[in-house]
Amino acid sequence: MKTHRATRPRLLLAAFAAGGLLLATACEGDKEPAQDQAASAPSSAATTAAAAAPTATPTPTPTVKPTGADDPALKPFYGQQITWAACPPDAKAAEQKIDLSLMKCGKLHVPLDYANPAGEAIDLALIKNPAAKQDQRLGSLMVNPGGPGGSGVEMVKSFDKQFEGTLHNRFDIVGWDPRGTGESSPVACLDDKQRDALNAEDGPLDPAAAKALSDKHAADFAAACQARSGKLLPFIGTRNTARDLDVLRAAVGDRKLNYLGISYGTYIGAVYAEEFPKNTGRLVLDGAVDPAAAELDLQVNQVIGFEKSFERFAVDCVKNNAAECPLGKSADKAAKKAADFLDGLRDKPLPTKDGRKVGSNLGWSAVIQFLYGDEKEAWQALRFTLAEAMLGGQGNALLAVADQGNGRDEKGHYSPEQEALRAIRCADNATPAPSAEAAQQAVQKLQREAPLLAKSITVEDVSEGSCVGWPFTSPETPHTIRAEGAAPILVVGTTGDPATPYTWSEKMAQGFAGATLLTRVGEGHGAFGSGNGCIDAAYAAYLTEGTLPAAGTKCS
C-alpha cells in the first residue's frame, strides 16, 4: 500500500495477503531477509489501494463444491500420470550451489474452472526431490512457502538443506507453483519499467493529492490485470488451489495428503481440510493466519507486529551490539532515530552503484524484509545495512534487499509474485469497505500501537475496500474453518512473528475441530528451518509417526 501520506501503513496494509509471501529463503536457518512479500513493501500499483475489511460477523462461504475424484468429469485429471524428467538448467540454483541432479520436474493438468471441467485447462509447474531412503519412503510431503504468490518449486530447490534428515529420508518433497504464480499461468499486469517507477515513488504528502494518485494507481493496475490476465483472474483463488492440491495428491499416488504450509500456505492447508477432510493425512500449518478475522483487523495487527519487531531490533542494536549500531546510545530513542532517517530519504535519497536512488519507500521496504528474519543473522545484517546507509551515505544494501523483496532480479526483471498476491487476495475476499466507526477505531489503534509505521495515518487510508474496482467479485468471505472429519492437524506459531502474529496461530488452532498448537518462542516469521531442535523433532515425530506434541508445548 504505497502511499504518500501514510506510506508505511499503506505499504503494509495493502500488502497483506493472509500472512504474506514467504520467499524461498524465508524459513532457512540463516533467516535471510526478503522473506515475505506480503509485508515486503510491494509497490506495484496493486499496493496503492487503501486497506479495508468487513465489519459484520464472518459466515461460511457459500461455494459450490465439486465432488473431487468422485465427479466423473474430473476423473481424467485425478487419474493422470505425471511425467517426471530432469529439471531444466537454473542459473539461480547454480549460483547458490543447489544440486538439482536428483530432483525431477513435471506438469500437472487441471481445469481452469472446476465447475466446468470440460472447458479450458491449465498446467501447473511441479518439482520432486525423491526420498533419500526409498526403502523407508512414506509417500509425498507437499510444501508451500506462502504468499499468495510464492513458488513451491523454488521452495523445494532452496530448502534442500532444511529438509535434509528425517523428512527427506522418508518423503518425496514435492512443490508446485499454485495457479497464477511462478510457471503456472502467472498473473501479468504491469511491465518492468512501470514496476520500477512505482517502487521508487514516495508520492505527495498532501492528503488529497495522495488519495487521487492512489486511486489512479489502483484503477490502472486493475485495468492492466484485466487486459493481460482477465480470463484467469476469477479462477486463481485459494479454494481452486486446494482443489488442484487434491488432484496432485491423487496423481502422485497418495491416498492421504501430507502437507507443510507456511504463512499464507497455512490458509491453503486449512481450505483443503475444509474441502477434503477425509483426504487429510498429516498437515503442518506454520505461521498461521486467522481465516475468520476481518481483513482490516488482520492488516492492522500485522502493522503492529512489524512495529514491535522494529522496536525490539532497535533496543537490541543499542544494548547488545553498541559497537556496530548506528542508532545512538539511547535504547528508548533508537527506533525513532532509524524511522526518522528512513522518512528523511524522501527528501534526501541515497545513491547506489546502479544509478537508482533509494527513497523512503524503498528504504522502508528493505527494513521490513529484514524483520522477517530472526534476532541473530537477520538483525545483524540489518545493523550493517543501516550503518552503511546512515553513516556511509550509501543505499546499495538497502536497494538490494528491497529489490529482493519486490521480486526484482539483477537484470531488472520482476517475478509475478506481487501481481499474483493482489489477484489471489481479491479472489479470496470480496468484503466491502469498513464502516466509518471501524475505520476510525483502526486508525486510533495504529496511532497508539504503531506510531512509527503508522505515522500520519488517516481514516481515508483505511476507508475503502482493498479490492475496489477489481474486475470480478468473489463469493469468498472470512469464516471459521472447522474441518470436521479431518485428521488431527498441527498448527505452529512463533511468539515474535511480525507478519503472522502468534495470536493468529492460536485462533486458527482453536477454530479446527481437532488441532494441536505448538509454540516457538523467538523472533522471525515461521518456525520451520529456524534451527530449533525442539521444533525439528516435533515436525519429524508428527509427519513420520503421527505423534503430536503435548498440548501447550513451547520450544524456546
Side-chain angles (χ1 to χ4, degrees):
M1 190 182 305
K2 187 160 201 307
T3 142
H4 310 295
R5 187 156 191 272
T7 301
R8 292 180 300 287
R10 281 194 172 183
L11 170 152
L12 288 167
L13 289 175
F16 169 76
L21 166 64
L22 205 58
L23 291 185
T25 57
C27 289
E28 295 183 21
D30 60 5
K31 290 285 185 180
E32 296 178 31
Q35 295 175 1
D36 197 315
Q37 299 281 350
S40 68
S43 46
S44 69
T47 65
T48 61
T55 55
T57 302
T59 56
T61 300
T63 55
V64 176
K65 291 188 177 182
T67 56
D70 293 334
D71 184 344
L74 291 174
K75 284 188 179 296
F77 296 100
Y78 274 87
Q80 67 186 287
Q81 297 294 312
I82 299 170
T83 300
W84 296 104
C87 293
D90 185 328
K92 180 180 177 182
E95 181 181 346
Q96 296 175 349
K97 295 181 170 52
I98 297 171
D99 183 7
L100 300 182
S101 62
L102 298 179
M103 298 186 192
K104 303 295 182 182
C105 289
K107 297 286 185 182
L108 183 74
H109 205 53
V110 295
L112 176 64
D113 179 2
Y114 275 88
N116 180 27
E120 186 173 348
I122 57 176
D123 288 334
L124 308 182
L126 309 175
I127 192 170
K128 174 174 68 173
N129 194 356
K133 296 185 177 180
Q134 286 290 313
D135 59 334
Q136 300 180 27
R137 178 181 177 275
L138 294 174
S140 303
L141 177 63
M142 310 299 181
V143 299
N144 180 274
S151 167
V153 171
E154 292 302 316
M155 179 181 179
V156 172
K157 293 178 182 179
S158 297
F159 278 47
D160 60 334
K161 299 292 188 250
Q162 280 61 49
F163 285 111
E164 282 185 356
T166 302
L167 296 185
H168 185 213
N169 287 342
R170 306 297 300 279
F171 293 99
D172 296 340
I173 308 300
V174 177
W176 85 105
D177 288 351
R179 53 174 62 205
T181 73
E183 297 298 323
S184 299
S185 299
V187 173
C189 303
L190 306 178
D191 62 33
D192 292 335
K193 290 184 178 180
Q194 290 172 314
R195 296 281 299 276
D196 267 348
L198 285 165
N199 285 338
E201 182 181 84
D202 286 332
L205 289 171
D206 176 72
K211 176 70 164 59
L213 184 60
S214 177
D215 290 348
K216 181 180 186 302
H217 284 332
D220 289 349
F221 182 81
C225 292
Q226 173 67 12
R228 298 182 64 186
S229 301
K231 181 170 62 176
L232 177 69
L233 296 182
F235 304 108
I236 62 169
T238 301
R239 197 160 298 276
N240 278 332
T241 290
R243 292 162 180 166
D244 294 341
L245 183 54
D246 198 53
V247 173
L248 177 58
R249 171 200 59 76
V252 300
D254 287 354
R255 189 173 62 87
K256 301 286 187 179
L257 176 73
N258 296 314
Y259 174 77
L260 168 60
I262 305 171
S263 193
Y264 158 79
T266 66
Y267 185 60
I268 295 176
V271 173
Y272 181 91
E274 179 178 56
E275 190 96 348
F276 304 101
K278 294 181 179 179
N279 294 348
T280 56
R282 296 163 187 168
L283 274 58
V284 178
L285 308 182
D286 182 350
V289 300
D290 177 10
E295 186 185 4
L296 183 57
D297 289 339
L298 293 171
Q299 294 167 334
V300 166
N301 287 330
Q302 190 179 60
V303 174
I304 292 170
F306 277 100
E307 174 94 9
K308 301 308 179 187
S309 180
F310 183 60
E311 291 172 350
R312 291 193 297 269
F313 155 75
V315 170
D316 176 78
C317 184
V318 171
K319 286 189 173 182
N320 301 323
N321 301 277
E324 58 193 43
C325 181
L327 304 183
K329 297 181 180 180
S330 171
D332 293 338
K333 298 178 180 178
K336 187 176 186 304
K337 181 173 182 178
D340 287 345
F341 171 79
L342 294 165
D343 289 343
L345 295 180
R346 165 188 291 276
D347 298 319
K348 296 180 180 180
L350 297 173
T352 66
K353 60 185 179 183
D354 79 348
R356 288 184 291 156
K357 301 282 190 179
V358 175
S360 184
N361 190 34
L362 284 172
W364 274 107
S365 297
V367 170
I368 294 299
Q369 283 298 298
F370 280 111
L371 297 178
Y372 279 95
D374 65 16
E375 64 271 36
K376 297 179 182 178
E377 299 194 20
W379 284 12
Q380 179 186 37
L382 179 52
R383 290 194 300 272
F384 292 153
T385 299
L386 285 177
E388 179 195 69
M390 299 175 73
L391 304 179
Q394 295 296 312
N396 295 314
L398 282 173
L399 182 61
V401 176
D403 281 350
Q404 188 180 6
N406 287 325
R408 186 186 194 273
D409 66 21
E410 293 180 354
K411 296 181 179 179
H413 299 311
Y414 283 86
S415 74
E417 291 160 351
Q418 292 302 328
E419 305 192 340
L421 181 153
R422 178 166 175 79
I424 296 172
R425 258 183 70 225
C426 291
D428 282 352
N429 192 345
T431 53
S435 67
E437 180 182 5
Q440 183 63 49
Q441 290 175 348
V443 168
Q444 290 173 348
K445 184 174 182 179
L446 285 167
Q447 290 174 336
R448 182 174 63 252
E449 300 185 43
L452 300 178
L453 283 173
K455 182 180 180 181
S456 302
I457 186 83
T458 68
V459 171
E460 288 74 23
D461 294 325
V462 298
S463 62
E464 293 181 347
S466 56
C467 293
V468 168
W470 197 243
F472 79 98
T473 301
S474 169
E476 297 284 345
T477 58
H479 62 281
T480 297
I481 293 180
R482 291 287 295 158
E484 297 281 356
I489 295 170
L490 178 61
V491 178
V492 186
T494 296
T495 56
D497 192 327
T500 53
Y502 178 70
T503 55
W504 295 2
S505 292
E506 291 181 308
K507 291 177 180 178
M508 176 179 271
Q510 291 166 359
F512 284 126
T516 295
L517 176 64
L518 173 65
T519 301
R520 170 180 166 254
V521 179
E523 300 289 340
H525 182 39
F528 177 71
S530 63
N532 187 306
C534 170
I535 291 289
D536 293 345
Y539 277 41
Y542 171 65
L543 287 169
T544 61
E545 306 295 336
T547 303
L548 287 160
T553 298
K554 294 185 177 182
C555 295
S556 60

